[in-house]
Amino acid sequence: MERIVFLDRKTCRVEFRPPRFLHQWQDYDLTRSDEVRERLQDATIAITNKVPLRAPQLKDLRALRFIAVAATGVDVVDLDYCRQNNITVSNIPHYTQHSVPEHVFMLILALRRNLITYRTAMQAGAWPKSPIFSILDYPIRGVASSTLGIIGYGELGKGVEQIGRAFGMKVLIAERKHAIDIRSGRVAFEKVLAESDIVTLHCPLTAETRLLIGSTELSKMQHHALLINAARGGLVDEQALANHLRMGLLGGAGIDVLSQEPPPADNPLLTLNLPNLIITPHIGWASEEAVNLLAERLIANIEAFVAGYPKNVVNER
């Protein structure tokens, strides 16, 4: 009988159907790093969304054969250790293909059209006091004919591109940073920064992409440009971004992810109170449609592994 342990069930607000094989299922709302080994002691299958599973936590878990990541990103799992110890790891690709691009454009449109400032003015009673039929005190910019720079051209980057083109935007797809050769259809990384009205990030977090956008990169962007990050917080130097926003050197930023989640209250971006900064609490992935799809595909991954035909494996030899 398989023993399945979900380490952070609270991160998925959806019902999961039972796997179609004999099993025991144990849910934990949340799990600290120092609780992992005890809770997985007899488990054959572990489910994690954001609980880190590194070598110290996985050591001596003799029964564990499969880790099902309840997300697309797998940076919480030590894939090398799992590969060396015959632990299969699967993720869930493609379930946010609509949810994240929609969230990105929500941020873009809110920033370009100054939504927060106008809502604040409305709440302060500005419209009834206006001498004209409207309030036109703050800049309003559209997106048609503007330039959208996409850094990271996987499924989500392509989804953002599709929406951008539907809006009539010019789209630039960035080549990798420091690349010598520019692939067909790509544009040099620095050129994308310099020419885009909006730069949006869709890279995985790796050693190569950590702090991909820092003070040097932000300085290459136009002063009216927006930076959107709905990928991973570690891609951006948050202090550098806060400095540029505070000094008026950047048009604005829409952020759905931070380097530490949940973030400390003194995160440099959280200390800002600016109308051109919108921070959402890592919810771009979490539309009801996307979460329901995640739930079904998570169980399907587990069933495929138990049947002997694992899919969506991310640590194959």
Side-chain angles (χ1 to χ4, degrees):
M1 179 186 295
E2 301 291 345
R3 182 165 185 270
I4 304 169
V5 175
F6 198 152
L7 293 170
D8 50 351
R9 176 68 177 80
K10 197 171 184 177
T11 63
C12 295
R13 49 180 178 82
V14 65
E15 292 298 318
F16 290 87
R17 67 170 176 84
R20 298 186 182 99
F21 55 81
L22 191 62
H23 68 277
Q24 294 177 338
W25 183 294
Q26 175 68 59
D27 281 333
Y28 293 100
D29 282 350
L30 299 168
T31 298
R32 300 190 311 267
S33 291
D34 62 353
E35 296 174 321
V36 169
R37 290 181 66 186
E38 179 183 352
R39 292 182 174 181
L40 294 183
Q41 194 60 51
D42 300 317
T44 56
I45 296 171
I47 304 172
T48 180
N49 185 329
K50 293 293 181 286
V51 177
L53 296 178
R54 313 291 187 199
Q57 290 82 38
L58 296 173
K59 184 181 179 183
D60 298 328
L61 295 178
R62 305 299 184 190
L64 189 64
R65 299 185 296 121
F66 183 57
I67 296 173
V69 181
T72 301
V74 293
D75 46 288
V76 298
V77 180
D78 187 331
L79 299 181
D80 289 335
Y81 178 92
C82 291
R83 189 179 298 113
Q84 294 164 10
N85 289 272
N86 298 314
I87 301 172
T88 302
V89 183
S90 290
N91 73 339
I92 307 174
H94 312 311
Y95 78 98
T96 60
Q97 60 186 354
H98 300 300
S99 187
V100 169
E102 288 173 4
H103 194 85
V104 165
F105 268 87
M106 177 192 73
L107 295 171
I108 290 172
L109 292 169
L111 289 164
R112 291 282 285 187
R113 303 193 71 86
N114 236 321
L115 178 66
I116 302 300
T117 305
Y118 276 104
R119 175 174 167 78
T120 300
M122 283 294 301
Q123 291 174 324
W127 199 2
K129 300 174 185 176
S130 176
I132 62 171
F133 73 96
S134 182
I135 304 174
L136 299 171
D137 296 344
Y138 312 105
I140 300 172
R141 306 188 74 166
V143 295
S145 301
S146 63
T147 299
L148 175 66
I150 298 175
I151 299 176
Y153 195 51
E155 179 183 60
L156 298 181
K158 290 173 182 174
V160 169
E161 176 192 24
Q162 184 178 23
I163 297 175
R165 294 196 187 280
F167 269 111
M169 303 176 80
K170 177 183 177 182
V171 178
L172 303 179
I173 309 301
E175 184 52 89
R176 290 187 180 90
K177 191 175 182 179
H178 304 310
I180 297 174
D181 299 320
I182 308 299
R183 288 170 286 177
S184 176
R186 304 293 179 103
V187 177
F189 183 87
E190 291 77 10
K191 186 177 176 69
V192 170
L193 294 178
E195 296 187 1
S196 296
D197 299 298
I198 300 129
V199 173
T200 180
L201 308 179
H202 299 284
C203 311
L205 181 61
T206 66
E208 290 73 28
T209 62
R210 187 173 295 277
L211 299 182
L212 184 75
I213 302 294
S215 182
T216 299
E217 291 72 29
L218 292 168
S219 297
K220 294 178 180 178
M221 295 174 63
Q222 302 178 72
H223 284 186
H224 72 267
L226 305 179
L227 177 68
I228 308 295
N229 185 13
R232 286 290 184 267
L235 299 175
V236 176
D237 182 332
E238 292 163 344
Q239 185 63 64
L241 177 57
N243 293 343
H244 274 69
L245 290 169
R246 189 183 297 109
M247 292 186 291
L249 301 177
L250 197 67
I255 304 296
D256 187 50
V257 288
L258 292 173
S259 57
Q260 180 181 335
E261 298 175 349
D266 62 353
N267 179 290
L269 293 175
L270 294 184
T271 63
L272 298 180
N273 183 20
L274 299 173
N276 61 341
L277 171 63
I278 300 176
I279 302 176
T280 53
H282 202 150
I283 56 172
W285 64 280
S287 70
E288 288 190 14
E289 295 82 359
V291 175
N292 286 330
L293 192 57
L294 177 150
E296 176 56 35
R297 290 182 175 173
L298 178 72
I299 300 301
N301 278 351
I302 294 172
E303 289 176 334
F305 173 78
V306 172
Y309 303 98
K311 60 182 181 179
N312 299 317
V313 175
V314 294
N315 67 328
E316 291 179 308
R317 292 184 182 276

